[in-house]
Amino acid sequence: MVQWMRWGLIMASGLALFPLIILDVVIGAYRVNPIVALKAIIDGIDPVFGVPHDTYLVIWQIRLPETLASLLLGASLASAGAMLQGILRNPLASTYTLGVSAAAGFGAAVAILLGAGYVVRYYLPVITEPYLVIIGAFIAASIAALLVYFLSFIKGASPVTIILAGVAVMFVFSTGTSLIQYFSGNPDVSHAIVMWMLGSVTNVTLNYIPYMSLSLLAIPYYVLISWRLNALNLGDDVAHSLGVNVRNTRLAVMLVTAFQAAAVISFVGLVGFIDLVIPNIMRILIGNDNRYLVPASALMGADVAVLADVVSKALVPPYVIPIGVVLSMIGAPYLLAIVISRGTQYGYE
C-alpha cells in the first residue's frame, strides 16, 4: 500500500470517531437529541446554552464517561496488541495470551474479597472499594508481565517461549480467580467478580478518565522506536545485525504494553478480542510498518470499542450488555473466519 493510502486510512479512522461519539452519547434509555447533546457537552465547559439539568446530568455523569472510557479502552488495547504481535511475530499474541488480563482479573478478585471484609472497612478507610479493585488489578497485571518475561528469560526469551510462558501464567491466575469465587462463601462477592470479568464501562466516572488517559502515552513511544520494531519483524538475527538490542527492546515493549493494558482494564474489567482482532485487520490493510500500524490500530480500536458501546445499549433496550460481551461476539467469529480461510498460511511475511 502506498504512503498516501495509509495516511488516508488513518485519517478516515480518526474522522469516524466524531459521529460514533455523538451516536454513543445520544443512544440509551433516556433519548437525547444530538444537537442538545452537543449543547450539554459545551455547557460542561462553559454554561452558555442552559441545557435542562436532567439532560446535563445524563450526558456528563453517565454517557460521556462511558464513551470516553470506550475510546481509551479501544485505542490502548489495540495498540498494545499490535506491539505484542509484532515483537513476538505471532498473530495470536495479546494481553490475554500473555496472562496480563487473567492476572488483572485475579487482582480484582482479591480486592473485591478484601473490600467485603473487615480489614479494609475498619483499618483502611481511606481506600474505598472501587479504587482498591483498580489498584489490585494494576499490581497483578504488572506482576504477570514481569513473571512471563522472567520465565522466558531463563530459556532465552524467544517469541515462542514468551507465548508459552504467558499461557502458563494465564492458567495460574485464572485458577486463582476461580478458587476465590469458590471459597469466598459470599454470593455478593462471587457476583461482583463475575460482573467485573465480563467487562463494562457503565461504572466509569469522569474521575477515572485522566488515569485511563495515561495509557495513551505509550503510543508516541511505540512510534518513536518504530524502526527497532520494524527490524524485529525481520527476525532476531537480522534485528541484531542492524544494531537492535533484541532482548532489551522486547522486555521494554512487553512491560509498557502490560502497564498500558492494566491502566484501562483496571477500570472497566476484562475486555478481550480487541487487542487480538484489530491489529490483525490493520496489518492486512496497512502492512507491518509500525509508523503507520500503531496509530491506525489505535484509531480503529477506538472506533470499534465506541461502536461496541453503542451496540451494547441498542441491542436489547433498556438493558445494557457489558461491552466485553459485545466485543467477544464480534471478535470470536472473526477469529474463526481467519483460521478457516487462511489456516497455516496466516502469519507475517
Side-chain angles (χ1 to χ4, degrees), residues 12 35 81 121 126 129 133 148 168 190 221 265:
I35 302 298
R121 190 170 300 170
V126 294
E129 187 174 334
V133 172
V148 166
S190 298
Y221 168 72
I265 290 175

Side-chain angles (χ1 to χ4, degrees), residues 207-219:
N207 294 332
Y208 295 170
I209 299 301
Y211 301 105
M212 295 181 67
S213 300
L214 295 176
S215 63
L216 298 183
L217 295 177
I219 296 177

Side-chain angles (χ1 to χ4, degrees), residues 1-346:
M1 179 180 286
V2 295
Q3 187 172 359
W4 70 266
M5 294 179 66
R6 288 170 173 164
W7 283 117
L9 183 58
I10 292 172
M11 290 180 63
S13 299
L15 291 174
L17 266 176
F18 293 100
L20 286 171
I21 288 172
I22 297 301
L23 182 63
D24 193 27
V25 168
V26 301
I27 281 187
Y30 183 94
R31 292 301 177 97
V32 180
N33 183 282
I35 302 298
V36 176
L38 281 173
K39 290 181 178 179
I41 293 174
I42 295 172
D43 271 0
I45 303 170
D46 185 11
V48 295
F49 292 108
V51 172
H53 188 63
D54 56 345
T55 302
Y56 177 86
L57 289 178
V58 167
I59 296 298
W60 275 95
Q61 299 299 322
I62 301 176
R63 303 281 176 79
L64 198 56
E66 292 179 2
T67 301
L68 293 176
S70 300
L71 187 155
L72 295 170
L73 171 73
S76 299
L77 290 185
S79 57
M83 290 299 93
L84 291 173
Q85 291 169 13
I87 64 171
L88 300 179
R89 299 193 302 279
N90 190 323
L92 297 181
S94 69
T95 56
Y96 256 82
T97 53
L98 290 182
V100 174
S101 294
F106 174 77
V110 172
I112 291 170
L113 183 63
L114 291 176
Y118 293 100
V119 175
V120 173
R121 190 170 300 170
Y122 290 102
Y123 295 99
L124 294 174
V126 294
I127 302 178
T128 58
E129 187 174 334
Y131 283 100
L132 184 68
V133 172
I134 294 163
I135 294 169
F138 188 88
I139 291 174
S142 302
I143 290 173
L146 291 171
L147 185 59
V148 166
Y149 198 83
F150 173 76
L151 292 174
S152 60
F153 184 82
I154 297 174
K155 294 295 182 179
S158 68
V160 174
T161 308
I162 291 175
I163 289 291
L164 292 176
V167 172
V169 170
M170 176 184 67
F171 279 114
V172 168
F173 280 108
S174 296
T175 301
T177 303
S178 299
L179 289 174
I180 289 175
Q181 289 180 264
Y182 185 78
F183 288 109
S184 68
N186 187 332
D188 293 333
V189 170
S190 298
H191 181 264
I193 293 173
V194 169
M195 292 305 297
W196 193 90
M197 294 182 70
L198 288 176
S200 175
V201 294
T202 55
N203 293 323
V204 174
T205 67
L206 283 176
N207 294 332
Y208 295 170
I209 299 301
Y211 301 105
M212 295 181 67
S213 300
L214 295 176
S215 63
L216 298 183
L217 295 177
I219 296 177
Y221 168 72
Y222 298 147
V223 176
L224 187 65
I225 64 167
S226 59
W227 72 272
R228 298 182 193 174
L229 304 174
N230 289 340
L232 282 174
N233 287 335
L234 302 174
D236 289 5
D237 293 336
V238 175
H240 182 74
S241 68
L242 294 174
V244 177
N245 188 321
V246 174
R247 180 172 292 176
N248 288 350
T249 300
R250 187 169 283 136
L251 173 60
V253 172
M254 278 190 61
L255 291 178
V256 172
T257 55
F259 296 147
Q260 186 184 20
V264 289
I265 290 175
S266 301
F267 290 92
V268 302
L270 296 187
V271 177
F273 282 106
I274 197 164
D275 56 342
L276 178 64
V277 172
I278 299 301
N280 278 298
I281 294 176
M282 299 315 295
R283 188 169 277 108
I284 293 171
L285 295 176
I286 214 167
N288 287 327
D289 192 335
N290 288 283
R291 292 176 297 172
Y292 308 102
L293 180 62
V294 172
S297 297
L299 289 171
M300 183 59 72
D303 289 338
V304 172
V306 174
L307 179 61
D309 192 43
V310 172
V311 174
S312 72
K313 293 183 288 187
L315 203 58
V316 284
Y319 301 102
V320 178
I321 300 175
I323 191 174
V325 175
V326 175
L327 287 170
S328 297
M329 292 166 59
I330 299 172
Y334 170 81
L335 185 60
L336 287 174
I338 286 293
V339 172
I340 293 171
S341 63
R342 297 205 174 198
T344 57
Q345 296 180 353
Y346 188 73

